[in-house]
Amino acid sequence: MSRTVILVIDGFGIGAMPDAGRLRPGDARADTLGRLLDHHRARTGRALPLPGLAALGIGAVHPHPDLPRTPSLPVTAGRAGLGYPGADTYAGHQTMMGADFSHVTVARLAEHAGEVAAALRAAGRRVERWEGRPLLVVDGHTLVHDNLEADPGINWNASGRLEETTFEQVLAIASTVREVAPVARVIAVAGHSAQPLPCHVREGDGGTLGLDTPASGFYRNGGLEVRHLGAPLDHTRQLPDLAARAGAAVTLVGKAADLLACAAAVRRPAVATAEVLAHTAEAVQATGDRPALVVANVQETDLAGHQQDADRYVEVLRRVDAGLEHLAGLLTSPGDRLIVTGDHGNDPLIGHGYHTREFVPVLVSHPGRAAAGAPVPDAASLADVGATAAVGLGLDPAALGNGRPLPLGPLSGASSRR
């Protein structure tokens, strides 16, 4: 077994998938990384420096004049389709860890509002429809509504303003909704807003109705608290649980600490990119020679995409890039792996604040192996990322619920750590 780090850059797409324009035709031109590179050059007259990603082969899978085509580290570079409908962080991470999420249930709250309201009332809650429409106001302070940041019908939210309630109350309401919700994820969200939340309710795509969370100020006012309540899955067939049962130390960092199930894992929740990177590096250093799996999520790139703030996205991406250089310097033993990928796109210059359905990079640094001469064929699913990590950890990828490992090539004279 070796040490393996999977770093997920949330919302880091590298070009639209063939079906990206099915819901929103304009998304057929989505390209999160390409647009950021062009934006930076247009503003500064210079290429955006991303030496960490360049060393890992990003230019080999995203040809762009501002990116070198050849990696400087021993890597295998490729890209992956998402392997699940839409473009969603929860579904992306569950798929990546080995779940078959190709058939998530898609439903608007309007189709189940009566059932949800009845469950909340049975739990002792006061429930009203907002202006008679399919958006529920619970106990006068928490909104239960369609999530407007993912594709319509994939997620529902329970949102509360911290000036009026506590996150614990919002989470309790979300937990009741989760018991009857048919969708992939119910998200409890609480933050600070200068105005009552109904001021920021709007209609979304596909007949949805919900809180415009970026407009509410939750993402920029500090104090944001989030909990993702996912649909039931067989977590014993996902990578963290499989690795822990085999004796690896498992650490979940950032949003991954909230999204992924593993009773044996050490959890390091964080939103700030500097904290996510620091926790990830500390987890690697703490393992020494012991086998380990670290799964980390950098969330601030995704938040910048939702805010349609390309400058902020660039700033966060440069911080991530510096962190990648540091992590690559820690993972130098034969058998160690640093896997850099995304969970979907979030093009901040596409003209809306939704996720975009894009391919994501799969950059695998593996000391002791020869670098691939050309990018590997596209992976059909993010599940192939988890399967690739399983092989590096000495695990049987067939024990996962889904996924096929990428071909990494033979060792170059050094044996993998056992």
Side-chain angles (χ1 to χ4, degrees):
M1 274 195 178
S2 62
R3 299 178 300 175
T4 294
V5 174
I6 302 175
L7 185 74
V8 183
I9 306 175
D10 207 312
F12 189 51
I14 57 171
M17 292 181 62
D19 60 354
R22 185 173 300 167
L23 177 64
R24 291 177 291 271
D27 284 10
R29 58 188 176 87
D31 182 355
T32 300
L33 177 58
R35 286 172 176 273
L36 290 171
L37 294 169
D38 292 342
H39 172 79
H40 186 269
R41 179 169 282 282
R43 288 205 57 185
T44 68
R46 302 186 303 275
L48 173 61
L50 297 172
L53 284 164
L56 292 167
I58 190 67
V61 295
H62 190 287
H64 189 281
D66 287 345
L67 294 173
R69 296 294 182 92
T70 305
S72 58
L73 293 173
V75 300
T76 296
R79 64 177 191 170
L82 301 186
Y84 65 88
D88 175 65
T89 296
Y90 177 79
H93 281 71
Q94 302 305 331
T95 299
M96 192 182 302
M97 293 300 109
D100 183 356
F101 237 67
S102 60
H103 300 290
V104 298
T105 301
V106 177
R108 295 173 302 144
L109 180 62
E111 297 159 6
H112 298 271
E115 180 184 0
V116 173
L120 289 164
R121 291 188 181 109
R125 302 288 181 181
R126 177 168 52 89
V127 183
E128 301 172 304
R129 285 187 176 232
W130 178 74
E131 297 185 350
R133 304 185 68 187
L135 183 150
L136 305 180
V137 182
V138 184
D139 291 344
H141 53 65
T142 296
L143 306 185
V144 175
H145 58 90
D146 292 310
N147 178 295
L148 302 184
E149 295 170 68
D151 287 329
I154 289 182
N155 303 322
W156 297 348
N157 281 24
S159 302
R161 181 172 174 250
L162 290 175
E163 286 81 3
E164 298 177 310
T165 188
T166 65
F167 180 64
E168 290 70 24
Q169 283 292 317
V170 175
L171 180 58
I173 290 167
S175 297
T176 300
V177 175
R178 173 70 277 170
E179 293 174 2
V180 295
V183 295
R185 185 167 43 141
V186 174
I187 310 172
V189 186
H192 292 286
S193 178
Q195 296 175 297
L197 295 187
C199 296
H200 301 288
V201 169
R202 66 170 175 83
E203 294 181 353
D205 289 345
T208 54
L209 180 68
L211 177 70
D212 187 333
T213 306
S216 74
F218 277 10
Y219 294 152
R220 62 177 180 271
N221 290 339
L224 178 68
E225 296 194 67
V226 181
R227 183 74 58 82
H228 300 261
L229 308 178
L233 296 169
D234 183 0
H235 298 294
T236 65
R237 299 197 66 192
Q238 290 188 286
L239 182 63
D241 200 81
L242 190 66
R245 294 200 311 273
V250 177
T251 305
L252 305 176
V253 181
K255 204 172 184 179
D258 179 25
L259 293 172
L260 300 177
C262 179
V266 174
R267 297 178 185 274
R268 296 285 183 262
V271 175
T273 299
E275 290 183 43
V276 171
L277 295 171
H279 287 321
T280 303
E282 289 164 6
V284 172
Q285 292 169 313
T287 60
D289 289 332
R290 291 173 295 162
L293 170 68
V294 182
V295 183
N297 172 283
V298 174
Q299 184 179 2
E300 287 191 308
T301 43
D302 190 52
L303 297 181
H306 286 309
Q307 294 168 343
Q308 301 176 66
D309 190 338
D311 291 331
R312 185 186 176 202
Y313 200 126
V314 165
E315 178 186 346
V316 176
L317 191 58
R318 293 189 68 173
R319 284 194 218 118
V320 175
D321 193 78
L324 291 177
E325 290 188 284
H326 180 56
L327 286 171
L330 296 176
L331 295 163
T332 57
S333 297
D336 285 349
R337 287 185 183 172
L338 171 60
I339 303 176
V340 180
T341 188
D343 52 353
H344 50 72
N346 199 336
D347 188 334
L349 297 163
I350 198 70
H352 60 71
Y354 296 108
H355 294 158
T356 42
R357 186 165 167 81
E358 299 180 50
F359 289 101
V360 296
V362 184
L363 312 177
V364 187
S365 171
H366 37 72
R369 292 182 184 268
V376 297
D378 289 348
S381 169
L382 283 173
D384 295 356
V385 175
T388 302
V391 171
L393 289 164
L395 305 172
D396 180 4
L400 298 172
N402 195 16
R404 300 173 62 183
L406 299 173
L408 297 187
L411 285 167
S412 298
S415 62
S416 178
R417 176 191 302 153
R418 292 290 177 186

